[in-house]
Amino acid sequence: FCKKEIDRLEDEIKFGVNTKEDLDEKHQQLFNTLDSLAHDLEALKAEEEEMNVSLKEAGENRKAENQLFQQSISDQRATINILNKAMKRLQMFYTPKAGLFMQAPGQAAAPKPPTPKDYSKSAGAGGVLQLLQKIITDAESEEKELQIDEQHSQELYAEFVRVTTDTIEADRAAIAEKTGLVAEGAGAKSETEGAQLSNDENLANLNDLLKAQHLDCDWLLKYFDLRQKARTEEMDAITDAKAVLSGADFGK
């Protein structure tokens, strides 16, 4: 009985030790997973915050750029308007008025033919008007460039908003997923820790039982051997006594 009981306890202890190793390994894996998830979540939240800040700053910059564009385009158009008015006035000044020299009955008197002074003014008109027209053309080109630049900036901003928004949404989805994994991992870790405590208690109890069993059985086995020896000696003595009684010669 003693040997059988000791063997049974030793088998259960061996199983408990293997279970402890498995639970310890599982607990370490869960700890590592939770630690990795915590770092991932920290990085994702930092990136989301950074993206939100970048998006806000980009919106403020785009607003400022658009306000500058609106002011610049307004100033440019005002300049072009003034230049066109100046062009009309100069054309009126430099271009002599042509009129009819033949007067019909009842009509107002025809304008006088151009004077030498008029021809003198007209002679310098070409260069001045051409220069002014070039300035107007350059101003109109600059207005178009402002509009093109504004459109390009708006397109870049829209693309930035799209990419940044997609990144933020992806980060939020990843945060939600990893937060769920953290909850699952924390639950599994708690269950594992409970199993570890239970298994450790069971191992402690088994080891106590094994020690007690050894104390009992070692005493029994020790005195069993003594009793066996005494029994053997007793049987030998009885055998010798029978031999004496039968006349056996022990000296031979």
Side-chain angles (χ1 to χ4, degrees):
F1 171 79
C2 283
K3 187 176 184 306
K4 182 178 180 181
E5 185 64 14
I6 288 173
D7 288 342
R8 183 187 69 80
L9 289 171
E10 287 178 344
D11 288 341
E12 289 187 14
I13 289 172
K14 183 177 181 181
F15 178 80
V17 170
N18 291 334
T19 301
K20 177 178 174 58
E21 292 175 354
D22 292 341
L23 289 171
D24 289 346
E25 182 179 357
K26 181 179 180 181
H27 185 269
Q28 186 62 47
Q29 289 176 348
L30 288 168
F31 176 84
N32 293 339
T33 299
L34 288 171
D35 185 63
S36 178
L37 286 170
H39 283 89
D40 290 346
L41 282 170
E42 183 180 358
L44 286 168
K45 289 177 180 178
E47 183 179 55
E48 181 191 0
E49 182 178 357
E50 182 181 350
M51 291 294 100
N52 280 319
V53 171
S54 297
L55 196 60
K56 181 179 178 182
E57 290 178 350
E60 292 172 350
N61 291 337
R62 179 84 280 271
K63 181 179 179 180
E65 289 174 356
N66 182 258
Q67 289 176 344
L68 179 61
F69 163 75
Q70 295 295 341
Q71 184 62 47
S72 298
I73 204 74
S74 177
D75 293 344
Q76 198 68 18
R77 287 172 178 173
T79 299
I80 293 171
N81 186 47
I82 292 172
L83 290 173
N84 281 323
K85 287 181 178 180
M87 171 68 82
K88 289 180 180 180
R89 289 182 179 274
L90 287 174
Q91 285 175 339
M92 290 174 63
F93 177 76
Y94 281 115
T95 305
K97 295 180 181 180
L100 295 174
F101 298 105
M102 298 298 294
Q103 183 178 353
Q107 288 182 335
K112 296 180 180 179
T115 63
K117 183 179 179 181
D118 293 330
Y119 284 114
S120 176
K121 289 191 296 182
S122 179
V128 174
L129 295 177
Q130 286 179 1
L131 177 61
L132 187 57
Q133 183 59 51
K134 184 177 183 306
I135 294 173
I136 292 172
T137 301
D138 290 344
E140 290 173 343
S141 297
E142 187 173 348
E143 178 187 354
K144 291 179 181 179
E145 288 178 4
L146 286 172
Q147 291 174 331
I148 292 172
D149 289 344
E150 170 65 12
Q151 182 179 358
H152 182 61
S153 296
Q154 181 60 32
E155 290 173 353
L156 289 177
Y157 170 70
E159 178 64 15
F160 175 79
V161 169
R162 185 188 67 79
V163 172
T164 305
T165 301
D166 288 346
T167 301
I168 291 173
E169 290 178 354
D171 285 345
R172 287 175 178 172
I175 288 171
E177 179 184 3
K178 290 182 182 294
T179 300
L181 292 175
V182 167
E184 292 177 6
K189 181 171 173 285
S190 179
E191 290 179 3
T192 302
E193 289 170 348
Q196 285 177 305
L197 288 174
S198 177
N199 187 68
D200 288 344
E201 290 177 0
N202 187 48
L203 271 176
N205 291 333
L206 288 172
N207 279 306
D208 289 341
L209 288 173
L210 182 61
K211 289 177 183 178
Q213 193 67 35
H214 270 295
L215 287 174
D216 292 341
C217 289
D218 288 350
W219 184 87
L220 290 174
L221 290 173
K222 177 181 177 182
Y223 285 95
F224 175 79
D225 291 340
L226 291 175
R227 287 197 303 273
Q228 283 288 92
K229 182 179 179 182
R231 181 64 175 168
T232 300
E233 290 176 350
E234 183 181 354
M235 293 300 294
D236 289 342
I238 292 173
T239 301
D240 290 341
K242 287 181 178 181
V244 170
L245 293 174
S246 300
D249 187 2
F250 295 101
K252 295 181 178 180

